[in-house]
Amino acid sequence: MSRFKDQVAVITGASNGIGAASAIALAREGFQVALGARNTEKLADVAQAIEAESGVKPFMMELDVRKEADVKAFVSAVAEKFGRIDVLLNNAGLAKGVTPVIEEEDAENWDQMIDTNVKGLLLMTRETVPHMIKGGNGHVINLGSIAGREAYAGGAVYCATKFAVRAITDALRQELLGQPVRVTTVDPGLVNTGFSVVRLGDQEKADAVYAGLTPLVAEDIADCVVFAATRPKHVNIDAIIVKPTDQAGAGKVARR
Ligand code: NAP
C-alpha cells in the first residue's frame, strides 16, 4: 500500500504535456489527484487514463488559473471532496510568440503570459497553502524554466514570468519557514510537449524547434516532480534544473 494514498495532489494545466504526465505519475505513486485546466475534454482523457491504470477516479474540474473566481471555486471543491491538500503542482503556463519587445503588436500576448504564469500561480498558491498548513503537510512545486535563469532575445516577457516564478518560489520558502510546507521549483530546458505549438502557432514551426536533437519528454519532468514530492518530509528539494543532453543553455543546442 502506498504511503501517499491519503495525500492529495492538485495539478494545474493537467490536460496536456508536463501536467498530464505528472498527474499520471503522481497517481501511480498513490496520490489522490485533482486535475484542473480549461480544456475539459482533454482533462477527461487524462482522468480516464489514470482511472484505467489505478482504478481510482481522479477529481477534475474546469479551471482558468487567470480567473480568481475559478481558482477559489476549484480549490474549495477539492478541499470539500478530499478534506485536505498536500501537493500543489503549479504547472499551468505558456509562452506566446518570440517577438522582440519593440515589435510586439499584440500586448494581449503579454497579458496572457503574465496572468497565467505569474498571477495564476500566485492565486493557486494563496488559495491552497492555508489548507496545507491546516492539514500539517504541504508541498508547492512550481514549474519554472531555464528561461527563469537566462533571458534570450524574443523571450523578454516569457523569461520575465519565469524569473518571477523563481522569485516567488524563493520568497515563499522564506515566508513559510517554520510551517510544514516545502517549496520547490523544477526548471526544464527543451521539452517536446504542446508548448511550442502554443507558442509558435503551428505544428511545423514547433517541430523545427526540436529538429536534429533529442529533447526531453513530459515524462522526464514528471520524474523530477515525483522525486521532489516523494522525499521524506524533512527534505526540501529547492530546485531541479533539467535539460536535454543536447542542450547547454537557452539557444545553445547540438543538432545533427
Ligand atoms: P503544454 O503541453 O502546452 O501544456 C500546458 C498546460 O497548461 C495545458 O494543460 C494547458 O491546458 C494549461 N494552461 C494554459 N493556460 C492555462 C490557464 N489559463 N488555466 C489553466 N491551465 C492553463 O506545455 P508544457 O510544456 O506541458 O508546459 C507546462 C509548464 O512547463 C508551463 O508552465 C511551461 O512554461 C513550463 N515549461 C515548459 C517547457 C517546454 O519546453 N515544454 C520548458 C520549461 C518550462 P488548457 O489549454 O486545457 O487550459
Side-chain angles (χ1 to χ4, degrees):
M1 188 61 81
S2 163
R3 70 189 158 106
F4 302 110
K5 72 173 177 45
D6 296 324
Q7 294 200 21
V8 178
V10 168
I11 298 105
T12 68
S15 62
N16 206 58
I18 294 166
S22 299
I24 291 166
L26 287 165
R28 202 170 281 152
E29 288 297 320
F31 287 89
Q32 307 284 325
V33 288
L35 319 178
R38 294 164 303 172
N39 186 329
T40 48
E41 262 177 45
K42 288 178 79 179
L43 263 190
D45 290 344
V46 176
Q48 214 167 32
I50 291 171
E51 190 179 355
E53 190 176 302
S54 67
V56 181
K57 202 179 171 71
F59 172 91
M60 56 158 274
M61 184 171 157
E62 186 175 343
L63 169 68
D64 185 334
V65 295
R66 294 171 296 176
K67 297 182 180 159
E68 191 166 3
D70 266 31
V71 170
K72 283 181 184 250
F74 180 88
V75 175
S76 299
V78 175
E80 192 168 319
K81 176 163 173 63
F82 295 105
R84 60 187 292 154
I85 297 175
D86 297 278
V87 176
L88 167 63
L89 180 61
N90 269 320
N91 163 80
L94 78 178
K96 280 294 217 181
V98 276
T99 314
V101 172
I102 62 168
E103 290 169 24
E104 180 59 85
E105 289 168 1
D106 188 357
E108 278 186 18
N109 287 336
W110 296 345
D111 287 342
Q112 193 176 356
M113 287 187 270
I114 293 166
D115 290 351
T116 309
N117 302 0
V118 182
K119 186 133 177 258
L121 176 142
L122 285 168
L123 289 170
M124 284 300 303
T125 303
R126 186 190 71 187
E127 296 305 316
T128 306
V129 168
H131 293 285
M132 298 176 177
I133 293 173
K134 198 167 138 216
N137 183 47
H139 195 167
V140 179
I141 304 177
N142 293 329
L143 240 303
S145 170
I146 61 164
R149 295 173 180 272
E150 186 186 355
Y152 52 86
V157 177
Y158 179 65
C159 293
T161 67
K162 294 300 184 180
F163 271 72
V165 169
R166 193 150 59 90
I168 293 163
T169 303
D170 289 348
L172 191 68
R173 194 178 304 111
Q174 293 172 44
E175 290 170 10
L176 293 173
L177 186 62
Q179 299 288 356
V181 181
R182 297 180 282 167
V183 187
T184 298
T185 180
V186 176
D187 294 355
L190 287 172
V191 194
N192 193 353
T193 59
F195 180 83
S196 291
V197 179
V198 170
R199 181 174 212 172
L200 303 173
D202 73 58
Q203 189 64 53
E204 207 179 318
K205 286 184 189 151
D207 289 345
V209 173
Y210 312 108
L213 60 87
T214 306
L216 299 172
V217 293
E219 288 73 19
D220 296 321
I221 312 308
D223 281 349
C224 299
V225 169
V226 164
F227 176 76
T230 56
R231 292 313 86 207
K233 270 191 187 185
H234 69 286
V235 179
N236 188 98
I237 303 294
D238 281 16
I240 299 177
I241 304 171
V242 52
K243 300 196 291 290
T245 307
D246 286 341
Q247 181 174 31
K252 295 184 193 76
V253 294
R255 296 188 199 272
R256 290 170 193 88

